[in-house]
Amino acid sequence: QMFSTRLSACSLASSPCRLFKCSRLGITSTHHFSNHPGFTSSPRFFSNVNSTTANAPALNLSPFTMKMSSSGSQKAPQRHVIASITRNNTLKHSQNIRDKTVFKYLPISHNAAKPGQIRMQFRTCMDDMYETLSYICTDEYTAKQKDSHFFEQFSEGLEEGDSASEEKRTSRIQQEMRELGERAIKMILKASIKEGKENEVVEQTAANIEKDASLASHEPLEIILDVELAQNQAFIEGLLLGNYNFKKILKRDFALPVVKVLDGDEETSKNVDDTIHRATVAAQSEMVARFLMDLPSNYKTPTKISEFLQSYFMDVEDVSVQIRDKQWIEEKKMGALLGVSQGSVEEPRIFEIFYQGNASTEETTLLLCGKGITFDTGGISIKPSAKMSAMKGDMGGAACVVSAMRGIAMMKPNINVRAIAAFCENMPAGNAVKPGDVVHSMSGKTIEVDNTDAEGRLILADALYYSTSTYKPHYVVNLATLTGAMVVALGSVATGVFSSHNHLWKHLERAGTQTNDYMWRMPLFSHVFLQRLTSEVSDLNNMSNKPEAGSAAAAAFLSEFVDYADERKQTPQFSHLDIAGTAMSGNKMTGRPTRCLIQLATNLSDEKERREM
């Protein structure tokens, strides 16, 4: 089959990612993003292909998870592109680098950039021919800054002790840095395609793949950073995120960049190492979420994606996973989930992940719950055909949750985190649930299905009740591409947050600010909106009886299925994130807000440590 061979990422070195000293050459450390510590599992292919998915390729996340191929590193590169990105000055050790044959293709520049500018220069090696491709100097936003000292200006004008204000201002700067990183890598890749005769390389590489499936087509891009840029997490994230290419991943033609950093002292080297680790975890996780959303629905049926994710977490420390099949779902009497899935030949699945950061207890601090509709036709209340293909991304909540869990495990917070992803399809069929039907949820509450296209809240009703009643978490964060009304309200700028508690909301707001995955609080007025979800034949209706505030009504519906530990509903603290606008922007999948979830877990861990001091 066309895509049946294993994807393997080549590298210039086959050893694991590590810090090494090479002071004579002016290089402090090398970081292979796709060989990052913790991203080293060997995922199995999807299995159990049935008649509806027989032409779907075997898939894995090799560029994100597998160790660099030692066999690939022995092969002469078909194309070798190396870029340098520095701030105001030229490469400090340019003479040292130039004198060493191992680095003979490093770009050297002796022209100083203007204050505040970031200079980029890159060259390519074609059959050992040294060719200059392009020179780029990006100063669109730095020229607008009052102070020419690029990194020193951030703290100016802030009131002493105003940490919130400082954090928000820094966040705006970091957003620009992340965008700059994405723009930089895209310009480099574009120029290398234009001048590097990539068409010839791709044809040659395609032939190589047929001969040897273990070979990747290209050596990864090398990026040389000065020390200051290498300590900017947002910029590193941008370099990675801008490299994402779904087609290349499927064609086994994708490798993540390698970063090299100019000399610094021991403390600086440690800071650089920590920064690149955090940036890699965040960017890798978001790209995996985006990749899962981009996958065509026949590649990721509920069974396939569950088995695939099981292999994805196989070698991750302190993490255990479980796949719950249809029989288990029936035993738990999850009638709402079963009702949505009954119109499809694909059986539903519940995928559970448990990260135990606190070995002394199995008490769950944070629970993440995600909607995983692997394809949504709307059911009997069928959607318009225009752009229905984008509904392969209706499992964005589950994609963000499972991807964030791997990132959380890599960051190793000292709290326990669980994730629940409910996977199924919403299809029309002779046995599909119909408008007016009543389903029985696991909580015992009955629900009239007034609109089969409001299916996300149905599967989440069972997922939320099961997870909160079983594990009794302190905090619950639910994610779903739930309502078009949220796209109208906030667009793709911010995620709408319906939160029952100020404390959890503040944590989400801060994590969103820190990662530029912005959150905006919306009203969770259950006492108001539940009155609009009444039914004459059941306890609840899955649709509001008023054509307004659809997102708020959906959030109120979900809050009814959180199993609170006390009558005052103080525990758990609950927030619903409607990511319809942020996870999907038109037909483009973004993987947001995965980075925010990782930061949230980190912040909760830090808060726990402060309380225990």
Side-chain angles (χ1 to χ4, degrees):
Q1 293 221 351
M2 183 176 179
F3 300 125
S4 63
T5 54
R6 178 173 60 88
L7 175 60
S8 173
C10 288
S11 72
L12 298 176
S14 59
S15 58
C17 169
R18 60 185 181 276
L19 180 70
F20 68 89
K21 291 289 184 179
C22 195
S23 58
R24 290 185 302 157
L25 303 179
I27 300 294
T28 292
S29 51
T30 297
H31 299 267
H32 297 265
F33 285 119
S34 51
N35 193 23
H36 192 268
F39 293 90
T40 55
S41 67
S42 300
R44 297 190 301 269
F45 297 144
F46 287 161
S47 58
N48 299 332
V49 178
N50 60 31
S51 59
T52 65
T53 59
N55 59 346
L59 296 170
N60 62 43
L61 289 176
S62 299
F64 306 109
T65 63
M66 296 183 69
K67 292 182 178 180
M68 290 294 188
S69 168
S70 58
S71 60
S73 65
Q74 304 300 319
K75 302 292 182 179
Q78 300 295 332
R79 179 189 58 160
H80 191 173
V81 179
I82 301 180
S84 70
I85 307 176
T86 61
R87 193 164 68 87
N88 293 328
N89 303 318
T90 60
L91 297 179
K92 298 176 182 178
H93 300 278
S94 59
Q95 189 63 40
N96 289 338
I97 297 175
R98 185 170 53 182
D99 289 343
K100 305 299 178 180
T101 56
V102 68
F103 290 114
K104 65 181 179 180
Y105 301 121
L106 289 181
I108 309 301
S109 173
H110 296 287
N111 300 319
K114 295 178 181 180
Q117 292 181 336
I118 293 179
R119 72 160 55 244
M120 288 176 286
Q121 186 175 8
F122 49 96
R123 301 182 179 187
T124 185
C125 167
M126 281 286 194
D127 299 325
D128 291 338
M129 295 298 291
Y130 189 34
E131 302 174 2
T132 300
L133 290 183
S134 179
Y135 169 78
I136 305 169
C137 192
T138 59
D139 61 346
E140 289 91 337
Y141 76 91
T142 55
K144 301 177 183 178
Q145 303 296 339
K146 296 179 180 179
D147 195 315
S148 63
H149 297 290
F150 190 68
F151 290 94
E152 296 175 359
Q153 62 169 332
F154 296 166
S155 60
E156 293 183 2
L158 296 175
E159 297 181 7
E160 185 176 356
D162 189 0
S163 59
S165 175
E166 182 175 356
E167 199 167 67
K168 289 181 178 180
R169 179 172 177 178
T170 301
S171 174
R172 288 194 293 271
I173 300 295
Q174 294 308 305
Q175 176 66 23
E176 292 173 337
M177 290 299 296
R178 187 176 291 103
E179 292 172 355
L180 177 62
E182 290 193 42
R183 192 160 62 247
I185 193 70
K186 288 177 180 178
M187 285 191 289
I188 291 171
L189 293 173
K190 181 179 179 180
S192 68
I193 291 172
K194 181 179 180 180
E195 302 292 338
K197 303 178 182 178
E198 185 175 85
N199 289 336
E200 296 178 10
V201 174
V202 170
E203 291 174 2
Q204 184 177 2
T205 301
N208 289 341
I209 289 177
E210 294 298 325
K211 295 177 182 178
D212 186 353
S214 67
L215 295 181
S217 60
H218 296 152
E219 294 289 332
L221 175 70
E222 282 192 32
I223 302 175
I224 316 299
L225 298 180
D226 67 13
V227 173
E228 286 180 296
L229 279 179
Q231 295 181 83
N232 190 289
Q233 179 177 338
F235 185 78
I236 303 295
E237 288 177 9
L239 288 176
L240 271 176
L241 293 170
N243 198 62
Y244 176 84
N245 188 313
F246 177 76
K247 289 183 179 179
K248 284 182 175 288
I249 297 172
L250 282 186
K251 293 179 180 179
R252 306 174 312 283
D253 190 17
F254 180 79
L256 290 168
V258 174
V259 160
K260 291 186 177 180
V261 184
L262 296 180
D263 258 341
D265 56 34
E266 184 175 348
E267 182 177 355
T268 301
S269 297
K270 184 180 184 303
N271 291 338
V272 166
D273 225 26
D274 292 343
T275 300
I276 293 182
H277 171 72
R278 293 193 303 271
T280 302
V281 168
Q284 290 268 28
S285 299
E286 183 170 300
M287 283 194 288
V288 169
R290 185 175 175 183
F291 176 76
L292 292 174
M293 294 181 69
D294 272 332
L295 279 174
S297 59
N298 60 319
Y299 292 24
K300 57 180 180 187
T301 64
T303 300
K304 284 186 173 185
I305 196 169
S306 297
E307 293 176 352
F308 174 52
L309 291 172
Q310 184 179 41
S311 65
Y312 182 52
F313 283 91
M314 184 184 302
D315 298 331
V316 183
E317 292 182 358
D318 305 318
V319 170
S320 58
V321 301
Q322 285 184 309
I323 299 176
R324 309 296 193 180
D325 61 12
K326 183 180 180 181
Q327 181 179 349
W328 181 91
I329 293 170
E330 289 173 339
E331 290 173 356
K332 291 294 182 181
K333 299 181 179 180
M334 295 184 175
L337 171 57
L338 290 167
V340 173
S341 67
Q342 70 187 42
S344 172
V345 297
E346 301 292 344
E347 294 186 353
R349 291 291 184 270
I350 294 277
F351 189 74
E352 293 189 41
I353 313 168
F354 177 45
Y355 163 72
Q356 189 167 15
N358 184 355
S360 63
T361 179
E362 291 196 358
E363 184 180 78
T364 301
T365 299
L366 174 63
L367 171 72
L368 304 175
C369 185
K371 169 189 169 184
I373 300 292
T374 57
F375 193 78
D376 181 19
T377 65
I380 298 298
S381 308
I382 197 164
K383 295 177 180 290
S385 60
K387 297 183 179 180
M388 188 190 287
S389 60
M391 290 300 98
K392 66 185 180 182
D394 206 26
M395 40 73 72
C400 292
V401 163
V402 298
S403 302
M405 282 297 289
R406 181 154 186 145
I408 289 169
M410 297 304 102
M411 295 303 297
K412 297 189 178 301
N414 66 345
I415 59 172
N416 295 338
V417 185
R418 290 186 187 271
I420 305 291
F423 291 112
C424 72
E425 292 182 342
N426 184 24
M427 303 290 286
N431 62 335
V433 67
K434 305 174 292 296
D437 285 358
V438 174
V439 295
H440 293 251
S441 69
M442 181 183 176
S443 69
K445 295 177 182 177
T446 55
I447 307 166
E448 181 182 2
V449 183
D450 202 25
N451 187 328
T452 64
D453 196 23
E455 85 296 333
R457 65 200 69 182
L458 294 176
I459 70 170
L460 289 170
D462 280 336
L464 279 171
Y465 183 79
Y466 161 70
S467 55
T468 55
S469 63
T470 303
Y471 300 118
K472 307 295 182 183
H474 296 289
Y475 305 100
V476 179
V477 178
N478 179 77
L479 284 87
T481 50
L482 205 63
T483 64
M486 185 53 62
V487 181
V488 174
L490 298 178
S492 60
V493 177
T495 293
V497 178
F498 299 84
S499 187
S500 63
H501 291 74
N502 290 333
H503 181 70
L504 180 55
W505 155 245
K506 289 295 183 184
H507 269 296
L508 284 165
E509 181 187 34
R510 181 169 182 248
T513 299
Q514 289 172 312
T515 59
N516 307 115
D517 262 338
Y518 297 111
M519 303 285 133
W520 192 260
R521 193 169 190 180
M522 306 292 283
L524 184 60
F525 297 157
S526 297
H527 61 288
V528 175
F529 292 108
L530 285 177
Q531 297 176 15
R532 304 180 181 183
L533 297 170
T534 57
S535 168
E536 294 182 358
V537 295
S538 63
D539 298 321
L540 289 169
N541 195 312
N542 78 328
M543 288 293 291
S544 172
N545 57 26
K546 290 190 176 182
E548 60 186 24
S551 298
F557 178 93
L558 292 175
S559 69
E560 282 297 287
F561 296 91
V562 176
D563 185 43
Y564 291 97
D566 57 84
E567 294 181 358
R568 297 180 60 208
K569 296 187 176 182
Q570 295 301 304
T571 303
Q573 298 185 25
F574 169 69
S575 285
H576 161 60
L577 276 58
D578 194 330
I579 61 174
T582 50
M584 302 169 62
S585 181
N587 285 336
K588 180 182 178 182
M589 310 302 166
T590 68
R592 295 172 57 196
T594 303
R595 290 180 291 109
C596 178
L597 298 179
I598 298 172
Q599 189 64 48
L600 172 65
T602 302
N603 291 348
L604 289 174
S605 176
D606 292 343
E607 180 185 60
K608 176 178 177 288
E609 290 179 355
R610 288 195 299 270
R611 286 199 310 262
E612 293 175 350
M613 289 179 63

